[in-house]
Amino acid sequence: MNLFDDPDSRLQETMVLLVDDQAMIGEAVRRALVGEPRLQFHFCSAAGEAVQTAERIKPTVILQDLIMPTVDGLSLVREYRSRPGTRDIPIIVLSTREDPAVKSEAFAAGANDYLVKLPDKIELIARIRYHSRAYQHLLQRGEAFRALRESQQQLTQINLELVRLTNLDGLTGLSNRRYFDEHLSLQWAQCVRERNEISVLMIDVDEFKKYNDAYGHLKGDEALKQVAAAIAECVERPADMTARFGGEEFAAVLPGTPAEGAMRVGEKIRERVQALAIDHRASTTGPVLTVSVGGATLAPRPGEDPVALIQIADETLYDAKRAGRNRVAVRAAPPRPPPPRPELHRAARD
């Protein structure tokens, strides 16, 4: 915009609605406003049509007569203020006399200004321009605020989507290793507080290198996607999660799950993958692609690291592999002695 442009030139035209039962007043106001640039004039003589007319033409100023034959002018002011489409439109009430009590009542009803009719032409135009300009600026601020809110909401959605994508494995759509570590740490801490058990399953595709060699890496990627989907279908509770741990290895976190429950979930995963019937002619385990599952269950205590749980699950996975693959093994950590009481530590130091 040119620096010398009128800043109000960006505003819409001033639109005046006069509501008065006297045609003579309507004509007098029309003559006073005729020739004014960027100003439109509408006249409504029927009080019963005033609100509907205002909602239809959307004036930037309403000139409202206070004394009308069928409806009190102040009642119309209140009606304007009760409607979403007219509640913010400036209202200049027109009265036959300067009465402080009437003026006070008009402002209490929601009027923005008060004029004794017929006002001086210059004063009338100045007040119309002033209130119209203020109202249009209000509309602009409202539009700007709505646009800002929409932009903020869009930005929030984009950020949430970025966070979601950051936590996903690009190939399988499961959580990635980084998010697996974060989720396990969070659930581990909660189980410490609640003195509850937590289980981890490590899931490995049997003889997957041979599959890639026989069918190619593109087929291998497609097989991993199908295996990932099958694993996700078997892990359903809100706090549970599945992840691609790396390569052809997957993992599942099962908070609040004892060893027996982890065994059931692991067996369900094994059966679901086998039921996919993905041909694997190079496998020594069987004619289709299979997985081996190793699990570990632990009731964590303060100061312990969840890495220990992963290590046990990994060892159990290799037990399943050595036992012939396409099987599930779960190990519950043996009961451990309770941590020493702080008083005993102090006594020993003493």
Side-chain angles (χ1 to χ4, degrees):
M1 184 182 73
N2 190 298
L3 292 176
F4 297 100
D5 286 346
D6 178 4
D8 292 332
S9 64
R10 294 170 294 168
L11 301 178
Q12 65 179 352
E13 290 190 350
T14 298
M15 188 172 294
V16 179
L17 170 64
L18 171 63
V19 181
D20 196 303
D21 61 302
Q22 299 181 57
M24 178 182 65
I25 299 297
E27 179 61 18
V29 173
R30 186 194 70 79
R31 288 178 177 274
L33 301 181
V34 71
E36 283 295 311
R38 300 177 64 82
L39 190 149
Q40 295 185 33
F41 175 74
H42 294 266
F43 177 59
C44 177
S45 60
E49 300 174 4
V51 176
Q52 290 73 20
T53 301
E55 290 177 327
R56 178 173 53 83
I57 70 172
K58 297 178 173 56
T60 59
V61 174
I62 297 174
L63 301 178
Q64 176 63 55
D65 184 26
L66 283 185
I67 307 299
M68 302 192 72
T70 57
V71 178
D72 175 47
L74 291 181
S75 296
L76 280 176
V77 172
R78 296 186 186 96
E79 181 70 11
Y80 296 135
R81 291 295 177 245
S82 70
R83 301 288 189 98
T86 57
R87 63 186 174 196
D88 295 320
I89 299 174
I91 301 171
I92 303 175
V93 297
L94 302 176
S95 179
T96 56
R97 56 199 176 93
E98 183 76 27
D99 186 327
V102 174
K103 185 182 294 186
S104 175
E105 190 177 0
F107 286 127
N112 298 83
D113 209 340
Y114 184 100
L115 285 174
V116 175
K117 59 181 183 183
L118 281 167
D120 175 77
K121 172 181 176 179
I122 295 176
E123 181 181 8
L124 176 63
I125 293 173
R127 296 201 185 208
I128 287 173
R129 293 287 192 194
Y130 171 80
H131 290 293
S132 177
R133 191 159 49 239
Y135 175 60
Q136 292 180 61
H137 281 305
L138 176 66
L139 293 179
Q140 286 186 337
R141 286 196 298 272
E143 287 298 323
F145 180 73
R146 280 190 290 274
L148 178 61
R149 286 291 300 274
E150 290 176 4
S151 297
Q152 290 173 334
Q153 290 172 354
Q154 291 173 0
L155 183 59
T156 299
Q157 291 298 322
I158 291 171
N159 287 336
L160 289 174
E161 181 65 11
L162 288 175
V163 170
R164 189 185 71 83
L165 293 175
T166 301
N167 293 332
L168 293 184
D169 172 62
L171 177 66
T172 64
L174 298 183
S175 299
N176 58 24
R177 173 64 187 277
R178 184 180 69 84
Y179 188 65
F180 168 83
D181 291 338
E182 292 177 358
H183 186 78
L184 176 59
S185 296
L186 179 67
Q187 296 301 327
W188 179 274
Q190 185 168 335
C191 286
V192 169
R193 291 192 300 270
E194 298 175 355
R195 299 182 180 181
N196 206 352
E197 290 179 305
I198 184 169
S199 295
V200 162
L201 298 178
M202 302 299 293
I203 307 138
D204 188 75
V205 180
D206 295 324
E207 299 185 294
F208 189 67
K209 183 179 184 305
K210 291 181 180 179
Y211 186 90
N212 274 336
D213 292 342
Y215 297 92
H217 288 280
L218 292 179
K219 281 283 190 180
D221 287 347
E222 185 59 35
L224 289 178
K225 291 179 185 177
Q226 293 182 62
V227 170
I231 293 171
E233 289 173 0
C234 299
V235 181
E236 302 171 341
R237 297 187 312 171
D240 297 344
M241 66 92 67
T242 56
R244 187 182 182 192
F245 200 75
E248 68 272 19
E249 195 168 15
F250 301 88
V253 179
L254 309 172
T257 303
E260 298 80 10
M263 187 73 183
R264 286 193 296 270
V265 174
E267 186 62 31
K268 187 177 180 181
I269 291 171
R270 187 197 67 78
E271 292 175 352
R272 187 70 60 88
V273 172
Q274 187 169 357
L276 294 173
I278 301 172
D279 184 59
H280 191 355
R281 60 176 176 265
S283 174
T284 61
T285 306
V288 298
L289 197 72
T290 60
V291 296
S292 297
V293 183
T297 302
L298 192 66
R301 298 186 307 197
E304 293 182 330
D305 194 315
V307 171
L309 187 63
I310 298 175
Q311 290 173 341
I312 297 172
D314 214 37
E315 292 168 4
T316 311
L317 170 63
Y318 282 100
D319 290 342
K321 291 279 190 181
R322 285 191 292 267
R325 303 188 184 92
N326 190 25
R327 63 192 63 222
V328 181
V330 175
R331 187 192 309 170
R336 293 158 297 161
R341 294 170 58 190
E343 295 84 355
L344 298 179
H345 278 298
R346 286 196 294 270
R349 286 197 299 271
D350 293 343

